[in-house]
Every structure is written in C-alpha cells, then in structure tokens.
Amino acid sequence: MSGTCEPHHDASANALTAFMCIGITISYLPQHWRIISAKSSEGFSPWFLLLGSTSSASAMLNIIVVQWGLINCCQVLPFGSCVESIAGVLQLILVWVLFVLILVLYMVYYPPHLKYVELDVDLPNGLPPRHIKTPVKREGWKLSITLTWAVCVHIAVISFVTYMLLATNNPDEAYRTRQLRLWTMFLGVTSALLAAFQYIPQISHTWGIKLVGALSIPMMCIQTPGAVLMVLSIVLRPGTNWTTWISYAVAGVMQGVLLVMCIIFRGRQHALGLDDFGRPLAPPPSYPASQSIHIDAVPAVEDTARSSQRVLVDEAVGEDTPLLQTGAAKQNKGLFSWLKR
C-alpha cells in the first residue's frame, strides 16, 4: 500500500476545500440558532428534512466509496497528508452532520400546540369554554416521528451495505468489482434524485402557509451562491465524478427558488404587521383579570396566536380544569424523548 499511497499536494484545491468547510459551518449556524432562539421549528416540512438527510447521507457514502483507497492510505501517511488527501470526504461528512442537526432541532423544538389535538368544551351559565389538550397526536407530529425513524433506518442500512462491499472488495479503483461500481453509482444517482425532490415539499409547504416560519434567510443567502463553490471543490478532488457533485448542483438551484419565495413572503408579512410566524408585531391588548374571554370572540391570525390566547382561558377556568395534558407534558422531558413516542 505504501507504494501507491504517495501524498499529492494541490494548494488551490486544499485552500478551496478549507474555505468551503468554514463556509459550510458558518452557513448552517444561522439556521440552528434561529430554531433555538425562537424555540420553534414551525415552517419546516418534515418531507424536506427527510429527503435532505437521506440525500446528504448518500452523497457522503458515495465519496467514501470512490475515495476508499485514499482513506486506507491514512494508515501509512502522516496526519497532515492524510487530512489533505481525504479533505473532500470530511467536507461531505460535515454537510451531513450539520443538516441532520437541523432535523434533531426540528424534533426537539416542534411547536407544542401542534403536537396534540386540542378541544374547546363549552360550559353552561356563561362560563368561558374549557380548553383541553388531549393525548391524541396530530397527524403532522406523527408524520414527523415516522420520517425521523426512516432517516435513522436509511443511514443504518446504506452504511451496512457500504461496509460489507468495501470489506469484500479491493479498495483500488482499477480493481473494483462491478457490484461496488454499481453501488457507487446508485448512491450518487439516489443522492441527486433526493436532492432534486428535496425542496419540492418545502417549497409547496412554504407556498401554502405563506410564511417564512423558522426558515433562515441568511443561511439560504450564503448557501445558494455557495453551491457553485461546493460543486467546484468536489470536482477538483481526485477520484470523484459527476455522481458525487450533481446532487449539490440540483439542490443549489432549488434552494434559490425557496430563497426568493421567503424574501417575498417576509416583505408581505411585515407589510401586514406580522412576524415570520404570522403573529402580530404589536403586543396583544390587555384584558382586566375579572373579564371573561371567549376564545371564539378573539380573531386569530394563526394557530400560534390562538394557542397564546387559550392560555388566558386556561388561567381563567381555574383549578377545576381537567389536567388531561399531564401525560403529554411528561413525555416532553428529555432531549430525545420524541424517539419513544
């Protein structure tokens, strides 16, 4: 192996890859911070996160396979030469980790008022309605849990198949078997197709709600033009082909479409006096503590606004309100408690 594992120095390619790794990390941080600071992931399509996670996972394993010989050379190369030779692999691993982190934050900060079915029960004698949060999951929350498990199963399956093929084949590209070459093409084409369809559900979802939600416009402003550099940095790496970079080219175009939509909708929301989640920018009017508020009498802009108004009703009802939501509240404890639901 030491005879074929000779370090190759390409200053321009290495500088571009290092710049891309820093840029990729910086571009994702606004999205991560936006979800955490808003404590809400409303506005995301779970299908978008599923397709994005599976697409980036396939692209990551594709470059691992095509550069497996270089990865094996790290056994004999110095640390610096090893990092330089597999910089392209590290770059796509970083993309996968940062995108999957969005999925994790999406589940952790999924809006509580959208998780379970809520009912308003009318009471006699002019009392305000009784608001009840049931333990029945909403369809959107059930779908998000199911698709998150699908992401976990997908990465486990393709990682296992990749490991088995690499363990039974020569890592040298010239002597790879037909099965390994077909698997490489399958990963690349699958990644490209998933990336092509990735933004369709998110574009459709954003168009339907006419809101930006938790989507980060700064992230898209960085990543959309950055897709060109991303493709270029992969093309310059040795051993890669069109199946490795095509997914990022397609995703860059689709993300540009979503970016234009979000900019238009943000301007529309601010013109209407609403924030990115459809809530009024002006504070809601205050009511006397003794005044009864009927939830149906307050105009609701979005479900989030209705939820905040219902809190006032819960406080007005008093201690006789059934606490059916206790079981659901207990399930919210723990960072990854949604995996058990």
Side-chain angles (χ1 to χ4, degrees), residues 6-89:
E6 298 179 359
H8 299 279
H9 300 285
D10 188 336
S12 60
N14 293 334
L16 179 59
T17 300
F19 174 78
M20 287 302 303
C21 288
I22 297 174
I24 289 168
T25 303
I26 294 175
S27 69
Y28 274 99
L29 290 181
Q31 183 61 80
H32 299 157
W33 174 248
R34 178 164 175 80
I35 298 176
I36 295 173
S37 60
K39 293 182 172 55
S40 173
S41 59
E42 189 173 0
F44 276 97
S45 167
W47 288 104
F48 163 73
L49 297 175
L50 167 75
L51 296 174
S53 299
T54 52
S55 174
S56 59
S58 297
M60 173 185 65
L61 290 176
N62 172 277
I63 198 172
I64 287 177
V65 173
V66 299
Q67 293 195 332
W68 186 246
L70 295 176
I71 296 175
N72 276 339
C73 285
C74 284
Q75 302 176 37
V76 297
L77 291 176
F79 178 77
S81 299
C82 171
V83 173
E84 181 180 352
S85 62
I86 64 171
V89 177

Side-chain angles (χ1 to χ4, degrees), residues 106-138:
Y106 167 80
M107 296 300 293
V108 172
Y109 290 100
Y110 195 92
H113 67 280
L114 297 180
K115 287 184 178 180
Y116 300 96
V117 176
E118 300 176 355
L119 301 175
D120 287 325
V121 180
D122 292 329
L123 298 179
N125 302 326
L127 294 175
R130 179 176 297 171
H131 181 63
I132 300 175
K133 181 185 291 184
T134 71
V136 180
K137 297 184 182 72
R138 291 178 180 266

Side-chain angles (χ1 to χ4, degrees), residues 18 111 135 165 323:
L165 288 174
L323 300 178

Side-chain angles (χ1 to χ4, degrees), residues 199-228:
Y199 283 90
I200 293 178
Q202 184 61 61
I203 290 173
S204 176
H205 181 73
T206 303
W207 179 265
I209 63 176
K210 301 291 191 298
L211 296 172
V212 176
L215 293 174
S216 173
I217 291 179
M219 181 194 75
M220 291 185 283
C221 287
I222 298 174
Q223 290 188 351
T224 300
V228 178

Side-chain angles (χ1 to χ4, degrees), residues 97-230:
V97 170
L98 293 174
F99 192 93
V100 170
L101 183 55
I102 296 178
L103 174 61
V104 174
L105 293 175
Y106 167 80
M107 296 300 293
V108 172
Y109 290 100
Y110 195 92
H113 67 280
L114 297 180
K115 287 184 178 180
Y116 300 96
V117 176
E118 300 176 355
L119 301 175
D120 287 325
V121 180
D122 292 329
L123 298 179
N125 302 326
L127 294 175
R130 179 176 297 171
H131 181 63
I132 300 175
K133 181 185 291 184
T134 71
V136 180
K137 297 184 182 72
R138 291 178 180 266
E139 292 301 321
W141 179 230
K142 289 193 294 185
L143 177 64
S144 298
I145 295 174
T146 301
L147 296 185
T148 301
W149 277 113
V151 170
C152 297
V153 172
H154 174 265
I155 186 62
V157 170
I158 63 174
S159 296
F160 175 76
V161 174
T162 301
Y163 171 78
M164 293 301 297
L165 288 174
L166 290 175
T168 56
N169 282 271
N170 193 314
D172 191 343
E173 183 179 3
Y175 300 99
R176 287 176 185 167
T177 62
R178 181 172 179 269
Q179 290 82 0
L180 190 56
R181 289 196 296 270
L182 288 176
W183 179 245
T184 303
M185 181 170 292
F186 170 78
L187 290 174
V189 173
T190 300
S191 176
L193 291 175
L194 292 172
F197 290 103
Q198 170 187 352
Y199 283 90
I200 293 178
Q202 184 61 61
I203 290 173
S204 176
H205 181 73
T206 303
W207 179 265
I209 63 176
K210 301 291 191 298
L211 296 172
V212 176
L215 293 174
S216 173
I217 291 179
M219 181 194 75
M220 291 185 283
C221 287
I222 298 174
Q223 290 188 351
T224 300
V228 178
L229 293 177
M230 184 72 172

